[in-house]
Amino acid sequence: MRHLSSLFHLDADQVNDILNITADVKAKHAAGDRQPLLAGMVAVMVFEKPSLRTRISFETAMAHLGGSSVFLTTEAAGLGGRESNADVARVLGSYADLIVMRTFEQSLIDKFIDEAGCPVINGLSNESHPCQALTDFFTIRESLGALEGKRLAYVGDGNNVASSLAVGAALLKVRCVVSSPAGYELETDFLLQLKQFAPDADISIVEDPREAVAGADVVYTDVWASMGQESETEARKKVFAAYRVDADLMSAAAPGAVFMHCLPAKRGLEVTDDVLDGPQSIAFQQAENRMHTAKGILVWLLQADGYLE
Ligand code: CP
Ligand code: NVA
């Protein structure tokens, strides 16, 4: 049985299969062809944090593919008190064809993988955001025509989005530079795991954001304070001020570089309006692609008819 817990559990061929299925279903959708590849199937969504893109992209994807979805907050599901997490996972897994989860702890997703008996998708945890990174590499390939050898500069917090991008970059031979203020870098344990996973990957850490974006084909940023870190917002504004992506920083990237953001954005903090709304920005194409990539992930995970390997 397949799951999507972290990109560390995929290989390059599997990632490319998901990206290729995504391209195919996106083209068919544009032509008005909504194939019922998941007819009658039900996704149960269990979310501990807010979501616009992840929730709605999976819900619309299920509907377009002929299936349906049920949304539950972790509180409504009774996690963390009413009964054990393992029991909730077993019961939900007996109703659902798959479960999409958004959690604080990655370990809760892994608990569901152990107990639910159906495919489980990580729709963001504090550690990782694999669905986002798959979308991002799909969008880069769509915009720049290729992935291998491209240079991606991530400027900002060394968070869940940054870590999944770094793993995806390693798998797809994208050169990746991560630039964060001291104390907010990608975690040392994660970097060691990445080194073991992909010893030859071209991943570097560069503290100076201008140096990091020099020659970059993609400049990427995310919020300075993630969900769960709201109380640190003011302190982080000071620490991250030099890491704002503005027109000046974009001008240090390669000519023709694109700007990306997973959204939601805090306009005026990590990115200025002129960059987010400007001609180099593909952030809203990226947001739309969450839905197409959700389909690619669902079809790959459930090995839907017509896409069987
Ligand atoms: N990018 C992303 O995951 O957005 P949501 O938090 O709205 O799902
Ligand atoms: N790093 C952000 C991503 C939101 C999609 C967060 O975890 O809140």
Side-chain angles (χ1 to χ4, degrees):
M1 184 179 300
R2 289 174 169 174
H3 303 280
L4 180 55
S5 164
S6 149
L7 294 186
F8 276 132
H9 296 127
L10 299 186
D11 62 30
D13 286 344
Q14 292 174 320
V15 170
N16 279 311
D17 285 345
I18 294 170
L19 302 192
N20 291 338
I21 296 169
T22 300
D24 192 60
V25 292
K26 181 174 179 178
K28 287 193 171 122
H29 183 76
D33 182 2
R34 298 186 182 187
Q35 292 183 296
L37 297 169
L38 305 184
M41 290 194 174
V42 178
V44 169
M45 324 269 296
V46 184
F47 278 46
E48 215 168 11
K49 299 171 175 174
S51 172
L52 179 69
R53 282 144 288 269
T54 306
R55 175 180 175 176
I56 306 305
S57 65
F58 273 104
E59 291 193 355
T60 49
M62 284 303 295
H64 288 165
L65 294 168
S68 60
S69 53
V70 178
F71 182 83
L72 279 171
T73 60
T74 40
E75 199 182 7
L79 283 158
R82 189 162 178 260
E83 57 193 312
S84 78
N85 293 342
D87 289 355
V88 175
R90 285 173 66 184
V91 172
L92 287 179
S94 71
Y95 304 142
D97 294 288
L98 75 140
I99 297 174
V100 185
M101 302 187 74
R102 168 163 289 195
T103 63
F104 289 96
E105 301 304 326
Q106 178 87 24
S107 58
L108 182 57
I109 296 171
D110 293 332
K111 168 65 81 184
F112 268 62
I113 288 174
D114 289 343
E115 302 289 346
C118 70
V120 175
I121 298 174
N122 172 1
L124 182 146
S125 70
N126 289 350
E127 271 179 36
S128 62
H129 199 358
C131 299
Q132 183 67 51
L134 289 168
T135 303
D136 298 338
F137 289 108
F138 175 77
T139 308
I140 296 169
R141 195 177 79 168
E142 188 175 60
S143 296
L144 303 182
L147 289 168
E148 191 168 339
K150 298 291 182 203
R151 193 178 167 93
L152 164 67
Y154 175 95
V155 178
D157 190 25
N159 61 16
N160 44 9
V161 168
S163 57
S164 289
L165 281 172
V167 182
L171 282 166
L172 295 164
K173 297 189 167 53
V174 171
R175 297 155 68 202
C176 180
V177 185
V178 179
S179 183
S180 314
Y184 296 87
E185 304 96 337
L186 287 169
E187 286 184 8
T188 310
D189 285 354
F190 165 79
L191 289 170
L192 285 171
Q193 193 183 358
L194 183 55
K195 190 77 196 157
Q196 279 186 335
F197 176 71
D200 301 327
D202 188 348
I203 312 288
S204 51
I205 307 295
V206 174
E207 192 173 341
D208 177 1
R210 264 197 106 73
E211 195 186 324
V213 303
D217 301 296
V218 179
V219 178
Y220 196 123
T221 193
D222 183 18
V223 289
W224 292 339
S226 285
M227 291 179 276
Q229 298 171 334
E230 289 79 2
S231 64
E232 297 174 32
T233 301
E234 288 310 311
R236 284 174 177 250
K237 277 183 192 170
K238 294 186 189 77
V239 178
F240 281 85
Y243 290 79
R244 175 172 299 125
V245 179
D246 58 14
D248 182 50
L249 192 64
M250 282 304 293
S251 72
V258 293
F259 169 76
M260 299 181 78
H261 192 309
C262 56
L263 304 177
K266 293 285 184 219
R267 288 170 174 268
L269 294 184
E270 76 274 3
V271 60
T272 52
D273 284 338
D274 57 336
V275 171
L276 184 56
D277 298 326
Q280 288 171 285
S281 174
I282 56 169
F284 290 90
Q285 177 185 341
Q286 199 183 339
E288 178 192 323
N289 281 338
R290 287 298 307 273
M291 180 185 73
H292 304 300
T293 311
K295 291 179 189 171
I297 294 165
L298 289 165
V299 166
W300 178 80
L301 210 67
L302 297 166
Q303 295 178 276
D305 276 351
Y307 290 91
L308 288 174
E309 283 158 39

